């Protein structure tokens, strides 16, 4: 398995030399400074590759994460001809520069969502956390979303009202800032007022509509990916449930099967994110990986610990609810099968995902969820699992 590291380019506080010291020489990157819908030029792509190469550490840009999808495509709004043409041109430009794997998501309006970025850990350090009472307070009492109370239990509604009544303006500002933290680069951030307006654009758009718009997107890009020799890898919803009244359509095995059925081609594949899928109590992540192993083109390895009320937090990679040893065994087994088929691209690219802020990470200003030391810990733990399972006497799942 190819070790990689998400790097935010010039926006990142972590330098390529520091990443090289972790031992991960694969780079996962995107041109985050380019807004939705605009073409990624060959010149801009090549400049980023040159920046990585000129650092002199032997690093290589392996996966594009992400080539963002314009919100109008998700809403199916207006004439989308130019947006689809721009997207395909960006694909062609990436392929021309040797980049053939694109990680993306189809989450409406908001990317990964947490309510706190600095939840304290028992022995020091902090983690990301998703708290049901706070998301309920935001939806019901700050955004005043009609019908929000129907999406939560009476117990959570009562806790949300208590939190809201006791919260300060700073508490509420911190909550909305945490929600916005999942949007990297040139993505629009919202305050409460602008988020209310943004949500209005999705009024009347239901699950079937989102699925229809997603199917159209796949029909527009997967044939182009086949022509270009590219692989698309959809990232699951995070959290894997509807949120803010917006339908999410990539949350479980049924959703993954639906996505693959829209364009039944190997180019239409999956980013296996163990943390996103693992936040749904109904998901057996190793079983999902086993079922769809042939279509996994990229992997995010992390873990979560879930509460009974639907809250969850980022756990250490080997300490959460998902059996990461079993999961890695599935991935190694798929690698072995691809190697035996004689495929040149048999190795799976993976990266340690969200890490705890530990030691000198705290206060360093790195992207939320993407500290140096915390991810290094995750990388080292998963590296050990991979090494142990790769021993000649171990049988893969």
């Amino acid at each position: 398995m190819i070790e990689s590291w998400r790097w935010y380019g010039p926006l990142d506080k972590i330098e390529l030399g520091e990443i090289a010291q972790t031992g991960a020489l694969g780079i996962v990157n995107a041109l985050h400074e380019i807004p939705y819908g605009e073409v990624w030029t060959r010149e801009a792509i090549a400049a980023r590759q040159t920046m990585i190469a000129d650092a002199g550490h032997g690093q290589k840009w392996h996966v594009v994460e992400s080539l963002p999808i314009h919100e109008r495509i998700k809403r199916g709004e207006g004439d989308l001809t130019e947006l689809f043409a721009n997207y395909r041109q960006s694909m062609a430009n990436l392929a021309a520069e040797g980049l053939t794997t694109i990680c993306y998501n189809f989450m409406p309006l908001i990317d990964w969502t947490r309510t706190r970025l600095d939840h304290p850990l028992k022995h020091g350090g902090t983690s990301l956390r998703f708290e049901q009472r706070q998301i309920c307070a935001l939806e019901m009492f700050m955004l005043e979303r009609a019908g929000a109370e129907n999406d939560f239990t009476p117990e959570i509604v009562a806790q949300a009202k208590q939190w809201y009544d006791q919260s300060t303006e700073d508490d509420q500002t911190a909550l909305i800032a945490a929600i916005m933290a999942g949007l990297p680069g040139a993505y629009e951030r919202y305050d409460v007022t602008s988020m209310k307006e943004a949500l209005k654009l999705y009024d009347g758009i239901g699950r079937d509509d989102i699925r229809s718009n997603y199917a159209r997107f796949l029909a527009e890009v997967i044939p182009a990916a086949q022509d270009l020799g590219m692989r698309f890898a959809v990232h699951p919803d995070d959290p894997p449930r509807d949120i803010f009244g917006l339908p999410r359509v990539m949350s479980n095995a049924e959703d993954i099967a639906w996505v693959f059925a829209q364009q039944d081609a190997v180019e239409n594949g999956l980013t296996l994110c163990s943390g996103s899928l693992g936040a749904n109590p109904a998901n057996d992540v190793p079983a999902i990986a086993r079922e769809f192993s042939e279509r996994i083109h990229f992997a995010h390895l992390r873990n979560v610990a879930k509460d009974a009320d639907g809250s969850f937090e980022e756990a250490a990679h080997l300490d959460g609810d998902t059996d990461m040893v079993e999961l890695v065994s599935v991935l190694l087994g798929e690698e072995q099968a691809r190697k035996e088929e004689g495929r040149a691209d048999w190795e799976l690219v993976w990266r340690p995902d969200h890490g705890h802020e530990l030691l000198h990470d705290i206060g360093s200003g790195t992207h939320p969820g993407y500290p140096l030391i915390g991810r290094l810990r995750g990388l080292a733990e998963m590296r050990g699992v991979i090494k142990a399972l790769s021993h000649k006497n171990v049988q893969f799942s």
Side-chain angles (χ1 to χ4, degrees), residues 284-294 296 326-327 330 397:
D284 181 333
V285 180
I288 289 173
R290 189 174 292 110
E291 180 177 358
F292 300 107
S293 61
E294 295 181 357
I296 295 173
E326 182 182 359
L327 176 60
V330 172
S397 295

Side-chain angles (χ1 to χ4, degrees), residues 294-313:
E294 295 181 357
R295 301 280 275 273
I296 295 173
H297 300 321
F298 182 38
H300 292 176
L301 299 183
R302 63 180 172 90
N303 219 330
V304 296
K306 299 182 288 293
D307 297 340
D309 68 359
S311 303
F312 62 90
E313 64 186 69

